[in-house]
Amino acid sequence: MTDTHIKGLRLYLPPFAPDTSGAASVAFPTGGLSVIIDAGGCAGNICGFDEPRWQTDTSAVMSAGLRDMDAIMGRDDRLLDKIERALSQIAATHITLISTPVPAVIGTDLHALRRLLTRRCGLPVAIAASDGTHAYDQGASQAYLGLLEALLEPDTAKLPASVGIWGTTPLDITRPDADQLRHQLRISGCQHVFLHGLDHGAEPYKAAAAVERNIVIAPSGLAPARYLQQHYHIPFTVCHPLAAQQLETMLATTTDALPATGQRVLILHQQMAANAMRQAIRQRLGHEAPQINCATFFAQDETYCEPGDAKFTEEYEFPEWVAENAPDLIIADKIYQRALPSWHGIFLDYPHFAVSGER
Amino acid sequence: MKNNVYSITAAELAAGQTEGLPDEMRTDTHLIYNSPGSLDFNSPGASGFGVKRAGLAIPGSIMLLISPACCGRNTAALSGPRYADRCAYLELDENDIVTGKHLAKIPAAVAAFVASRPTPPSAVSLCITCVDALLGTDMERVARRCVERVHLPVIPCYMYALTRESNLPPMVYVRESIYKQLQPRRKDSRAANILGFFTALAPDCELFELLRSIGIRHVRSLAGCRTYAEFEQLAEANFNLVLTGEVRSSAAWMERELHIPAIELKRVYSLAQVDNQYKGLGHVLGTGFATERYRAEAEQAMMALSHLLASRDRKPHLAVGSQLNADPFELSASLIATGLDVDEIFGIPQPEDSFYIKKIAAASPATRIYTALSPSMLNFDREHSDITLAMGTDAMYYHPRAIPLSWNDGAQPFGYQGITLLYKKLLEALTND
């Protein structure tokens, strides 16, 4: 008899995009020097797997190249020297420090590093205190807040008809979908649309206090939107405007009809995308809509939950929920099917790059 | 210096060798630029064999990766029949890292992993990362507890990126961990092992026929093993041929514990050096090899390229990277010796490259050497270059408009066969130019 209820054990699902990747994804297009404070492997994982722009776009993503003696002796001075040296060779508007398990274990003081760097290099410094043990949305939130703290210009004049979109990194939205989102917003009268995590340069963060409103499309965007609401009274809404269209695309790939009243659907994704898909199904089916539960392995904010929604932490919780609730349809990234070897309902693929690394 | 790219000519590098490498050519003095051209340095498993794939080299084995989620993320890319369903993960949280509690869970996790597989595995690898390196985890002891639980070989694999430049870097250590599973066996005088690569030597490599000609009936390698029983047969070898330095310490262990002596050969692309290596090998084994036929094939391939180039008005300009089946400095020296122009080399010189750098400096002093790891490479102009042909995925990245020759296939080239294939590929690539 073996126990599979072991904290942290994943027998079927590979690790999801970690906080380090989320932070790096936010920093990637901003025109700064991104320093991943690691030995090399984290930077390789982030860029080699979680950053689809990396093959086509150029960004100053560097590994600190830590070695055993750096970690044992805490040689932060060498890291500062390396950063200063890199800045003598490349152009950068700011620095983003992205922490990983090694600095977390040795207790690197990121705030002290930020102060020292600001003094030595004269550039704004953002920090993301990721440690590799959390999910990508937490790291992305940290980087968003870090960049706002470092770059935001509070006295910028209000931009008329402007909107900031938060949560738009490639881990949550594809480039074509993001382009379409911008297009839709422009058609609806927005002159300035800032996609935080996709748009190039530091300008979206400098102008973050000047926008009229914010939209959050993924949990990673909640923290910066709330920060801007609290400090600059900028209202925000939570939605995922492309869900209805994504539902159409999904249904075009199957001959199965959507379940109806009396049946049950599980949507497993990041919370905003799952909620938006639920809304799209309800709009499509009206009063004949089935019971729909949303679930996520990522951040879940109670404000946006309905009764019966689930938050999974351990891998085994997902198949157990499915066994207990017997949904007729699951809408989720197809990689989740690996954890359901004995479930034979209808499964519709709702890709999530942060889960499978596939579109 | 801003907006410039660091490089050094072969002449400058050769002249300054007595003072050591310039800082920009060392990996501990600057940030490491993380571009597609440096991926194999930061994450060897992303495009080739890192510790994870290497740890699964034992046929039928499975691997439990014990780490924060970030270390295992790219393992999702391991797919195909060779790797499907062979990995599971024990993700550490902050509490585990602070208290070391995860260590107590490992035997139960291994038991659950083994029980979940449709067929029983032959062995279990335990892959641990920088966190456990810093915690000083005694994984050998944990592995022994796992053996008691699942009654299978349990192998610790250390993916310690922090120790990359130590005396026992991860790719050396993982090879040791694998070969140390072998138990002493009765020797078979007609068996030899090829040690070094994680993929098999090209099947048309002359080495197989040459060994057969002296009575060696079984030429085995780790990559060629399809079952655990075949893996165990590696312990029967009469001698080992060591083809890469990373397996040297494993070969030394096999010599000490299994009484299998080792002979080291190097992959080179110079006819004269291949000649010398086979003469040396014959001398050590107390025999001689008839290599004329293979040498003639290589000469013919080189001649064909030479004829093509003679018919052209302009000579091709080559860039040689380090992400390929060669030592970039040895390969460049050999290509230059045959009359080709190597304008650029992307690589970090190692102490053993000194000889080749001097040769390059003498024959082609203006050849520029870049390190793909330098932050200044961010400024490299990838759109405008005079390079005709780029060899290796890093050189191909920096010269996207040049004719690409990855020279990085899974089937490992070696000896005359390597030279023959290389020049045929060069001929093919440049013919279509």
Side-chain angles (χ1 to χ4, degrees), chain B residues 197-411:
Chain B
F197 308 122
F198 284 110
T199 50
L201 217 53
D204 58 339
C205 177
E206 71 277 357
L207 191 54
F208 296 109
E209 283 184 34
L210 294 177
L211 290 172
R212 214 170 289 131
S213 73
I214 59 166
I216 303 296
R217 291 286 170 267
H218 307 288
V219 181
R220 300 188 178 106
S221 66
L222 181 59
C225 296
R226 287 160 300 175
T227 63
Y228 195 79
E230 287 183 7
F231 168 70
E232 289 179 307
Q233 285 180 319
L234 295 176
E236 295 173 2
N238 196 21
F239 60 90
N240 283 328
L241 291 178
V242 174
L243 304 191
T244 65
E246 284 187 334
V247 79
R248 201 175 285 141
S249 65
S250 300
W253 177 87
M254 290 168 85
E255 186 153 4
R256 206 169 49 244
E257 302 295 329
L258 306 180
H259 310 295
I260 303 174
I263 305 161
E264 193 161 335
L265 303 175
K266 188 174 181 215
R267 175 158 56 195
V268 287
Y269 290 92
S270 147
L271 275 179
Q273 281 188 278
V274 175
D275 293 343
N276 286 341
Q277 286 206 127
Y278 282 131
K279 274 183 196 149
L281 178 63
H283 182 72
V284 170
L285 296 176
T287 182
F289 292 114
T291 58
E292 295 77 8
R293 179 161 68 88
Y294 313 109
R295 191 184 205 283
E297 278 178 34
E299 280 178 323
Q300 201 177 342
M302 292 168 78
M303 196 68 75
L305 179 66
S306 185
H307 286 319
L308 174 78
L309 299 182
S311 69
R312 299 270 173 96
D313 295 334
R314 288 171 49 206
K315 285 178 79 177
H317 295 265
L318 273 58
V320 175
S322 53
Q323 292 179 18
L324 76 182
N325 291 329
D327 170 336
F329 295 96
E330 187 284 325
L331 175 61
S332 298
S334 298
L335 292 170
I336 290 166
T338 63
L340 285 160
D341 286 344
V342 176
D343 290 11
E344 295 175 1
I345 301 170
F346 295 83
I348 298 283
Q350 302 301 312
E352 61 269 25
D353 290 322
S354 173
F355 171 74
Y356 301 114
I357 290 168
K358 282 182 188 151
K359 284 182 78 168
I360 295 167
S364 175
T367 295
R368 298 208 78 84
I369 294 147
Y370 294 85
T371 158
L373 310 182
S374 164
S376 70
M377 291 302 280
L378 188 71
N379 304 319
F380 195 95
D381 182 357
R382 294 174 62 223
E383 296 305 312
H384 305 96
S385 92
D386 296 326
I387 296 298
T388 321
L389 183 141
M391 293 183 69
T393 48
D394 44 354
M396 285 159 53
Y397 170 74
Y398 282 107
H399 294 288
R401 296 180 194 286
I403 301 166
L405 178 54
S406 64
W407 195 243
N408 205 12
D409 288 349

Side-chain angles (χ1 to χ4, degrees), chain B residues 43-261:
Chain B
S43 188
S47 55
F49 274 84
V51 172
K52 290 175 209 152
R53 280 178 78 186
L56 288 168
I58 295 178
S61 65
I62 58 177
M63 174 180 281
L64 182 69
L65 180 62
I66 304 150
S67 70
C70 64
C71 308
R73 175 64 175 153
N74 67 2
T75 313
L78 284 184
S79 56
R82 198 172 171 91
Y83 300 106
D85 303 326
R86 294 179 66 189
C87 287
Y89 312 87
L90 186 62
E91 291 187 352
L92 310 189
D93 64 14
E94 286 164 344
N95 189 36
D96 292 321
I97 293 172
V98 172
T99 62
K101 266 185 172 176
H102 62 289
L103 301 177
K105 293 185 286 187
I106 293 172
V110 167
F113 185 20
V114 170
S116 71
R117 299 302 103 170
T119 50
S122 61
V124 183
S125 300
L126 303 177
C127 183
I128 57 175
T129 65
C130 297
V131 167
D132 278 290
L134 293 170
L135 294 177
T137 299
D138 183 354
M139 194 48 73
E140 307 284 339
R141 187 175 171 192
V142 176
R144 285 196 293 274
R145 287 175 51 206
C146 295
V147 172
E148 290 165 12
R149 185 87 184 246
V150 297
H151 308 293
L152 287 169
V154 178
I155 309 153
C157 293
Y158 302 95
M159 195 166 70
Y160 292 169
L162 283 168
T163 61
R164 189 198 305 271
E165 277 138 25
S166 67
N167 291 333
L168 200 54
M171 290 309 290
V172 173
Y173 209 159
V174 71
R175 283 176 163 93
E176 276 193 22
S177 301
I178 291 168
Y179 288 111
K180 279 183 177 175
Q181 299 308 308
L182 295 171
Q183 301 295 320
R185 279 198 167 195
R186 194 173 157 190
K187 294 286 159 289
D188 178 351
S189 60
R190 297 175 307 166
N193 293 330
I194 292 175
L195 307 184
F197 308 122
F198 284 110
T199 50
L201 217 53
D204 58 339
C205 177
E206 71 277 357
L207 191 54
F208 296 109
E209 283 184 34
L210 294 177
L211 290 172
R212 214 170 289 131
S213 73
I214 59 166
I216 303 296
R217 291 286 170 267
H218 307 288
V219 181
R220 300 188 178 106
S221 66
L222 181 59
C225 296
R226 287 160 300 175
T227 63
Y228 195 79
E230 287 183 7
F231 168 70
E232 289 179 307
Q233 285 180 319
L234 295 176
E236 295 173 2
N238 196 21
F239 60 90
N240 283 328
L241 291 178
V242 174
L243 304 191
T244 65
E246 284 187 334
V247 79
R248 201 175 285 141
S249 65
S250 300
W253 177 87
M254 290 168 85
E255 186 153 4
R256 206 169 49 244
E257 302 295 329
L258 306 180
H259 310 295
I260 303 174

Side-chain angles (χ1 to χ4, degrees), chain A residues 190-275:
Chain A
C190 292
Q191 291 172 29
H192 305 279
V193 180
F194 297 109
L195 299 176
H196 295 277
L198 284 176
D199 283 351
H200 290 280
E203 193 55 35
Y205 297 91
K206 289 181 180 174
V211 298
E212 288 183 338
R213 63 190 174 103
N214 283 314
I215 294 175
V216 174
I217 70 147
S220 62
L222 272 177
R226 283 181 172 146
Y227 173 87
L228 291 166
Q229 184 185 47
Q230 189 181 348
H231 292 86
Y232 300 97
H233 313 295
I234 301 170
F236 73 88
T237 51
V238 169
C239 64
H240 202 286
L242 304 172
Q245 187 188 322
Q246 285 169 332
L247 177 63
E248 292 301 325
T249 310
M250 209 182 284
L251 291 176
T253 64
T254 178
T255 52
D256 293 311
L258 279 172
T261 315
Q263 292 185 297
R264 199 157 184 183
V265 175
L266 170 68
I267 305 171
L268 180 60
H269 210 282
Q270 52 99 336
Q271 190 181 21
M272 280 59 184
N275 284 355

